[in-house]
Amino acid sequence: EVQLVETGGGLIQPGGSLRLSCAASGFIVSNNHMNWVRQAPGKGLEWVSLIYSAGTTYYADSVKGRFTISRDNSKNTLYIQMNSLRAEDTAVYYCARLLAPAGHYAFDIWGHGTMVTVSS
Amino acid sequence: DIQMTQSPSSLSTSVGDRVTITCRASQTISTYLNWYQQKPGKAPKLLIYAASILHSGVPSRFSGSGSGTDFTLTISSLQPEDFATYYCQQSYTAPPYTFGQGTKLEIK
């Protein structure tokens, strides 16, 4: 079964760091374009970061310089290292696969999400 | 960045109704437009990609149309399981992959 499972969320103080993990099953992370998308409480979806299968990475302006996306091929797992966390980073963080059916990129597989709360 | 604007933000509807949700892009995006459904406490699910192509397993009562800057998601006959929030998302100039603010379907 194709599946993504996120872990690592929790309560963290402003300025702190946290690393989220996303374990994949049913497909190979390194052969796919993988993303992090977040959703603040009661708000909409916000794309956060992307790592292409070739390894190129991209970030939303709101997290650039603070977050780092990476993957461990041996563990088939995606990560995001979040530093200098702010209250506005509080959200459910989803990992999602980006596929290009018919040449149009779309997020076809999503994890269940992990909650990150930044508060003192 | 391309901005995506959905309307309405919320809609009170009844089972059996025909529902149309609109999404407008701040610049032309051809047909690089996707629709997602999200239920409370759950991850989003892909419904439609390339503006009008149904993702695998999505019921045929869902349909999408549009190109350029204006797009619609239509549910032909609303079912109880369709009460959810719907998001559009562009993949024309990306990253960033921008989403609309969402449209919440509520039971009348």
Side-chain angles (χ1 to χ4, degrees):
Chain A
E1 181 191 4
V2 174
Q3 190 175 229
L4 293 167
V5 178
E6 302 95 335
T7 55
L11 175 63
I12 187 77
Q13 291 190 341
S17 298
L18 205 58
R19 188 180 81 159
L20 307 182
S21 303
C22 171
S25 54
F27 70 97
I28 298 173
V29 163
S30 61
N31 289 349
N32 286 272
H33 310 320
M34 300 298 297
N35 296 258
W36 290 96
V37 177
R38 69 184 180 183
Q39 187 170 36
K43 302 297 184 182
L45 300 166
E46 179 189 17
W47 172 81
V48 172
S49 184
L50 156 69
I51 182 167
Y52 280 117
S53 57
T56 308
T57 59
Y58 292 89
Y59 300 92
D61 287 345
S62 58
V63 307
K64 201 172 294 182
R66 300 188 299 123
F67 289 13
T68 303
I69 192 171
S70 63
R71 65 191 181 207
D72 184 330
N73 298 345
S74 66
K75 296 181 178 179
N76 207 33
T77 297
L78 177 74
Y79 301 99
I80 191 159
Q81 176 68 41
M82 305 185 295
N83 299 330
S84 304
L85 281 162
R86 306 166 180 167
E88 53 265 36
D89 296 319
T90 294
V92 174
Y93 284 73
Y94 298 99
C95 59
R97 184 176 74 174
L98 187 67
L99 214 58
H104 290 243
Y105 281 119
F107 300 109
D108 73 320
I109 302 294
W110 296 68
H112 58 83
T114 187
M115 182 72 203
V116 173
T117 302
V118 184
S119 175
S120 54
Chain B
D1 298 350
I2 298 175
Q3 307 304 315
M4 307 300 294
T5 304
Q6 289 181 233
S7 60
S9 295
S10 64
L11 189 57
S12 274
T13 60
S14 300
V15 173
D17 282 356
R18 180 182 180 88
V19 171
T20 298
I21 298 169
T22 297
C23 178
R24 174 165 289 174
S26 60
Q27 64 186 73
T28 183
I29 58 170
S30 183
T31 57
Y32 289 83
L33 191 283
N34 307 315
W35 290 98
Y36 300 85
Q37 177 194 66
Q38 186 180 34
K39 295 181 180 179
K42 302 293 186 181
K45 290 184 178 180
L46 178 63
L47 291 178
I48 289 171
Y49 61 93
S52 63
I53 303 176
L54 244 56
H55 186 51
S56 174
V58 174
S60 59
R61 63 181 178 274
F62 290 91
S63 63
S65 65
S67 67
T69 61
D70 295 314
F71 302 86
T72 59
L73 171 69
T74 300
I75 309 172
S76 60
S77 178
L78 205 62
Q79 298 302 299
E81 60 268 29
D82 300 336
F83 290 95
T85 300
Y86 294 83
Y87 294 92
C88 62
Q89 172 249 322
Q90 67 83 22
S91 61
Y92 181 72
T93 302
Y97 291 94
T98 45
F99 292 86
Q101 80 279 16
T103 296
K104 184 176 183 179
L105 297 188
E106 299 172 311
I107 300 174
K108 188 182 289 184

